Amino acid sequence: MKFIIKDLQCISYYQYISKNKRFITKRGKDYKKKFLEQINKQMLENNYKMIESENLKVKCHFIFLNRRCNDIENALKVPLDLLEGIAYKNDRWINELSLTKEMIIKPLISSYNLTIEITDLEEKYIIVEKVEEEKIVEKIVEEKVEEK
């Protein structure tokens, strides 16, 4: 499954803690609303279903439009948390994570675009096993032909 989220605002403070309670900031609420609107729309358009696997690979590519907003580590946490319960059950099941960033400087713009690809690693293992089985079958067939 692949998502393209556009025009996200850079937020340095998504939430804060007061008296052992977490509160989402106003900017955090705006970010969450915009992010989830785009994700839900793409889930419906592409007929995506939540991945049930506990063995996930996630690729994130950030395109930052301003030098002030270019820390991929800080920009990553909130989107992964927001995808919980929508694209996958829990982000603790992400076993492989790759991050890339690109800078396209546009003065006076403090937003960024994000592409997220989520795959089930177990499906890839099944495909690899099938390919290996086919190679073994080909070798056995070739050997029997040579014997005759």
Side-chain angles (χ1 to χ4, degrees), residues 1-5 8 14 31-32 34-43 48-52 56-62 75-94 97 114-119:
M1 99 179 31
K2 182 176 182 176
F3 301 103
I4 299 171
I5 304 98
L8 291 171
Y14 176 77
Y31 178 98
K32 180 178 180 178
K34 187 171 200 169
F35 182 89
L36 291 177
E37 283 174 355
Q38 292 185 54
I39 291 295
N40 288 327
K41 181 180 177 189
Q42 291 177 50
M43 289 285 288
Y48 290 151
K49 303 287 183 216
M50 184 187 328
I51 298 174
E52 301 286 333
L56 300 174
K57 177 180 181 178
V58 176
K59 289 182 181 179
C60 297
H61 179 72
F62 293 86
L76 177 67
K77 175 73 173 136
V78 174
L80 291 183
D81 285 346
L82 291 176
L83 286 169
E84 277 190 30
I86 298 172
Y88 44 77
K89 284 190 175 182
N90 196 310
D91 63 1
R92 71 175 174 213
W93 295 340
I94 298 171
L97 178 62
L114 171 62
T115 301
I116 301 175
E117 289 183 61
I118 305 168
T119 53

Side-chain angles (χ1 to χ4, degrees), residues 34-129:
K34 187 171 200 169
F35 182 89
L36 291 177
E37 283 174 355
Q38 292 185 54
I39 291 295
N40 288 327
K41 181 180 177 189
Q42 291 177 50
M43 289 285 288
L44 289 172
E45 287 174 353
N46 298 303
N47 289 326
Y48 290 151
K49 303 287 183 216
M50 184 187 328
I51 298 174
E52 301 286 333
S53 174
E54 295 182 13
N55 195 10
L56 300 174
K57 177 180 181 178
V58 176
K59 289 182 181 179
C60 297
H61 179 72
F62 293 86
I63 301 174
F64 292 106
L65 306 176
N66 186 310
R67 289 193 193 282
R68 291 183 341 185
C69 178
N70 65 7
D71 186 340
I72 58 176
E73 180 187 4
N74 289 339
L76 177 67
K77 175 73 173 136
V78 174
L80 291 183
D81 285 346
L82 291 176
L83 286 169
E84 277 190 30
I86 298 172
Y88 44 77
K89 284 190 175 182
N90 196 310
D91 63 1
R92 71 175 174 213
W93 295 340
I94 298 171
N95 293 320
E96 287 185 34
L97 178 62
S98 65
L99 306 172
T100 55
K101 83 174 176 181
E102 183 178 344
M103 299 293 293
I104 302 174
I105 306 304
K106 294 186 177 183
L108 305 176
I109 296 177
S110 64
S111 64
Y112 65 95
N113 298 333
L114 171 62
T115 301
I116 301 175
E117 289 183 61
I118 305 168
T119 53
D120 181 350
L121 288 172
E122 291 172 10
E123 287 180 13
K124 289 191 172 185
Y125 292 140
I126 293 168
I127 292 168
V128 169
E129 288 172 9

